[in-house]
Amino acid sequence: MRFSSRSPEDTKNLGQRMGRLLKPGDILLLFGDLGAGKTTLVQGIAQGMEVPPDQYVRSPSFTLINEYRGRLPMYHIDLYRIESEGEMADLGLEDYLFGEGVTLIEWGEKLFPDQKTDQPPIIPIGLRVDVRLQIEEENDRTLILTLHPETPAGHPLFALQ
Ligand SMILES: Nc1ncnc2c1ncn2[C@@H]1O[C@H](COP(=O)(O)OP(=O)(O)OP(=O)(O)O)[C@@H](O)[C@H]1O
Ligand SMILES: [Mg+2]
């Protein structure tokens, strides 16, 4: 599925629609350059997941993982600063990925360190959704959402378009 966004608000609106459709255990891998709009999308997803506005979504670049409580737990993870498999292991991602919450991972690229695998063993494939954000122009973004073939056919996200 492909979407264009012409402003941060557009990106948040799309996120909001996505957030309403996410299910327990869903894992979103967010790919895209610095400033592509990953955190902006997550802010919209938080709204769609009914995270109260006083739990303001900020980039977890320093804390690496932020937890929010909406209609489901929402875990917002930023792997940008992760530099080794050891650091990755220290995060204890499994605790989040196999829970009842929704996990949103910025810099999903870091899960594919050797470029050889297209499926990191830690991510259950049927729950994985890839979101690629591309910078077109100053305020223009293209967002490409990919559900994997193993995603159950009835997943609400299929209704997004
Ligand atoms: N259509 C758009 N969608 C999202 N953000 C946009 C758009 N147009 C302009 N922007 C701007 O781009 C920036 C996106 O920042 P954001 O923190 O969401 O990016 P990011 O992908 O999370 O970056 P990082 O890799 O540093 O975490 C913001 O300053 C936002 O105002
Ligand atoms: Mg960010």
Side-chain angles (χ1 to χ4, degrees):
M1 293 182 228
R2 210 181 166 91
F3 304 87
S4 6
S5 162
R6 303 203 165 275
S7 67
E9 289 68 36
D10 269 3
T11 298
K12 280 185 207 166
N13 285 338
L14 176 64
Q16 202 171 1
R17 289 170 54 210
M18 290 168 64
R20 291 193 202 109
L21 302 173
L22 294 172
K23 298 213 309 189
D26 282 343
I27 299 165
L28 268 65
L29 304 187
L30 308 176
F31 303 93
D33 290 340
L34 288 169
K38 301 178 292 295
T39 301
T40 305
L41 185 73
V42 173
Q43 289 169 343
I45 291 173
Q47 287 176 2
M49 289 191 60
E50 299 161 41
V51 172
D54 65 332
Q55 295 181 46
Y56 184 74
V57 174
R58 286 185 185 80
S59 174
S61 293
F62 294 95
T63 50
L64 302 179
I65 300 180
N66 287 340
E67 293 191 34
Y68 300 91
R69 289 272 148 182
R71 65 182 167 80
L72 301 168
M74 186 184 105
Y75 309 115
H76 182 196
I77 299 172
D78 192 332
L79 300 178
Y80 186 65
R81 274 159 216 283
I82 294 292
E83 279 168 1
S84 67
E85 298 210 5
E87 284 178 30
M88 186 76 84
D90 288 345
L91 277 181
L93 280 184
E94 301 83 351
D95 295 349
Y96 302 95
L97 298 175
F98 298 101
E100 285 298 287
V102 166
T103 307
L104 312 170
I105 304 182
E106 293 196 36
W107 289 98
E109 287 90 342
K110 299 270 181 168
L111 293 165
F112 306 83
D114 57 8
Q115 314 277 317
K116 282 188 205 124
T117 49
D118 58 6
Q119 178 55 37
I122 192 173
I123 308 286
I125 190 154
L127 300 169
R128 170 178 163 195
V129 177
D130 289 359
V131 185
R132 287 199 167 66
L133 296 94
Q134 287 167 11
I135 302 179
E136 306 296 349
E137 299 208 26
E138 197 178 345
N139 294 311
D140 284 8
R141 306 285 187 268
T142 301
L143 289 92
I144 298 164
L145 201 135
T146 310
L147 294 160
H148 284 264
E150 288 82 353
T151 306
H155 194 294
L157 267 183
F158 282 108
L160 190 61
Q161 218 157 35

